[in-house]
Amino acid sequence: MTSADHGCVHVLEMLGWWERGGFGGRRGDRSGNGFGFGAGDSPLTVRMARASSPRGTAAMWVRDRLDGMFTEADFADWYPADGRPGLSPAQLALVSVLQYAENLTDRQAADAVRCRLDWKYCLGLELDDPGFDFTVLSEFRGRVAEGDRADRLLALVVDRLAEAGLVKRRGRIRTDSTHVLAAVRRLNRGELVAETLRCALEELTLQGEEWLAALVTPDWADRYGRPVRYERLPRGGDALIAWVLQVGEDGLHILRAVYRDDAPPGLRELRPVQVLRQVWVQQYWHDETGQLRWRAAKSTRDRASRRATDQRNTGKSSAAGRPDPGSARVPWSTMEIVTPHDPEARYSQKVTAAGRNDWIGYRDHQTETCDEMSPTSSSRSSPARRRNRTSTPSTTSTDS
């Protein structure tokens, strides 16, 4: 889900304070500045929605309070000017927000547009409106993900929430984070390079089988024919280094072939191939003679934040004796790919009063307002709690 959806979903939480006295609150502006995808509310839809939900629902509050949150003009540069008219992007944007707020699949959200009165009321649809096919939502998310559209859409929503008096600037907030586990198996570095190459070979087989067949030899099937979890890596330091260097040479052989001018177009842009290239940069290096080498592991005593500080009790005024950032070591955990199946997941650890946790995955950052007086405050003037959640790749506490 995009950052715009993470921000917009909290509209639904903030609107509750305005509607607590009943459904007879103020109406939004109906002067033609609304969503722009219809001639206006259907009187029958309005009557039935109010009769079935006298106090309203979150979707109905959005229409009443934020009737002009999205307009067609906001999406003018998203679609070509010619061609057959399509579905309203303003409508699809609001459907995406409601979908995320209620944790629905694309198919369930499309069914809600067809079947639920409060959604039809929010979208300004007739009762007999057939809705749209559920695949439209994934296509719309693809458009949102292009460039900086998600950020611009979020900024637009924030501005219109501020105009409606639902948010204000310079408030007090508090932030914390919790860990989110990636659905992947934890790999050591040897397993990582072998599994990364195997994934790239599988994708290349699908996209250019005849081209790949001329590059591989029969012994590759023994090394990369099955997922690495089914194989037993060599034991002993020298045997393991020799094995990972052989995997490295095989990976370089594929990368050199993919980037040749006579390679089929598009192979180098495949995501598994790009992950292969990044992992090889992070795990291997060439010495001054051009020989492929296996990078050393990170030093547990090395900290990026300490390199510019003086060492205590040594009299040294620089970080002499500490690992050089340019040395042949694997990168910090903020950058290091730890699995080819989820390249954005990172290794992280968090130290709390209960102990230290380490995991592969993401951090879910939660921010909530804590002003005494705000639209979400109750009649007892208790601190407001409006959460803003964003998920980011994990970073270790020692990398900052």
Side-chain angles (χ1 to χ4, degrees), residues 113 217 241:
V113 173
T217 56
I241 292 297

Side-chain angles (χ1 to χ4, degrees), residues 122-376:
C122 177
L123 300 172
L125 301 177
E126 299 284 348
L127 285 179
D128 58 352
D129 191 287
F132 48 79
D133 188 78
F134 70 94
T135 57
V136 173
L137 291 173
S138 62
E139 296 173 0
F140 179 74
R141 286 195 298 271
R143 293 182 182 271
V144 174
E146 295 179 8
D148 61 344
R149 288 175 176 176
D151 294 332
R152 288 192 286 120
L153 193 60
L154 176 58
L156 177 67
V157 171
V158 172
D159 290 340
R160 290 179 180 169
L161 289 175
E163 293 174 2
L166 296 176
V167 296
K168 63 180 183 179
R169 301 181 184 276
R170 298 186 180 279
R172 293 187 303 163
I173 63 173
R174 50 177 173 251
T175 303
D176 197 3
S177 64
T178 185
H179 59 278
V180 179
L181 301 180
V184 295
R185 180 177 178 270
R186 184 172 294 194
L187 305 173
N188 60 42
R189 294 179 58 201
E191 293 171 334
L192 169 65
V193 294
E195 184 68 8
T196 301
L197 180 53
R198 187 191 68 82
C199 292
L201 291 173
E202 284 193 349
E203 187 66 21
L204 289 171
T205 300
L206 296 176
Q207 303 298 329
E209 182 176 3
E210 295 182 358
W211 173 85
L212 182 63
L215 298 176
V216 301
T217 56
D219 59 315
W220 283 43
D222 297 332
R223 288 195 292 271
Y224 316 116
R226 300 192 304 172
V228 69
R229 65 178 181 271
Y230 298 123
E231 304 296 341
R232 180 172 296 178
L233 300 187
R235 295 183 178 274
D238 294 339
L240 182 60
I241 292 297
W243 184 81
V244 295
L245 288 178
Q246 179 61 58
V247 174
E249 292 291 352
D250 294 342
L252 279 179
H253 180 57
I254 295 297
L255 289 173
R256 292 190 182 106
V258 165
Y259 279 90
R260 283 203 301 259
D261 294 337
D262 59 347
L267 292 185
R268 70 188 64 174
E269 303 301 330
L270 295 175
R271 184 168 178 79
V273 174
Q274 288 298 313
V275 173
L276 174 68
R277 179 184 61 81
Q278 296 175 39
V279 170
W280 256 236
V281 170
Q282 295 176 359
Q283 301 297 332
Y284 296 97
W285 67 290
H286 287 90
D287 59 17
E288 60 276 3
T289 64
Q291 186 71 24
L292 184 69
R293 300 294 185 186
W294 181 242
R295 289 186 182 271
K298 291 187 292 289
S299 172
T300 57
R301 296 179 178 273
D302 188 23
R303 302 290 185 271
S305 58
R306 298 179 184 175
R307 290 196 178 123
T309 60
D310 296 339
Q311 296 189 46
R312 294 177 295 180
N313 303 326
T314 61
K316 299 180 180 179
S317 58
S318 64
R322 303 178 188 176
D324 184 0
S327 63
R329 294 183 181 271
V330 295
W332 301 109
S333 296
T334 52
M335 300 174 57
E336 185 183 12
I337 296 175
V338 293
T339 174
H341 303 290
D342 190 350
E344 295 182 353
R346 297 291 183 264
Y347 171 80
S348 181
Q349 59 179 229
K350 185 176 182 180
V351 179
T352 64
R356 187 179 72 175
N357 294 325
D358 64 311
W359 70 95
I360 300 296
Y362 303 83
R363 282 189 177 180
D364 184 52
H365 295 271
Q366 300 187 11
T367 301
E368 57 187 22
T369 60
C370 51
D371 290 324
E372 293 295 332
M373 297 299 294
S374 72
T376 51

Side-chain angles (χ1 to χ4, degrees), residues 24-105:
R26 295 167 290 170
R27 298 284 295 166
D29 178 22
R30 300 291 180 181
S31 59
N33 296 323
F35 297 100
F37 51 81
D41 286 339
S42 166
L44 182 58
T45 302
V46 172
R47 288 200 305 272
M48 293 190 65
R50 290 180 177 178
S52 61
S53 301
R55 295 185 63 85
T57 65
M60 297 169 72
W61 296 337
V62 170
R63 181 69 193 215
D64 287 330
R65 184 62 170 168
L66 297 172
D67 188 21
M69 185 165 65
F70 298 119
T71 63
E72 298 291 356
D74 300 328
F75 306 89
D77 60 338
W78 290 32
Y79 296 86
D82 55 353
R84 187 178 63 179
L87 295 171
S88 164
Q91 181 185 23
L92 295 176
L94 185 56
V95 171
S96 298
V97 174
L98 297 175
Q99 175 190 2
Y100 179 76
E102 300 191 18
N103 194 26
L104 303 179
T105 64

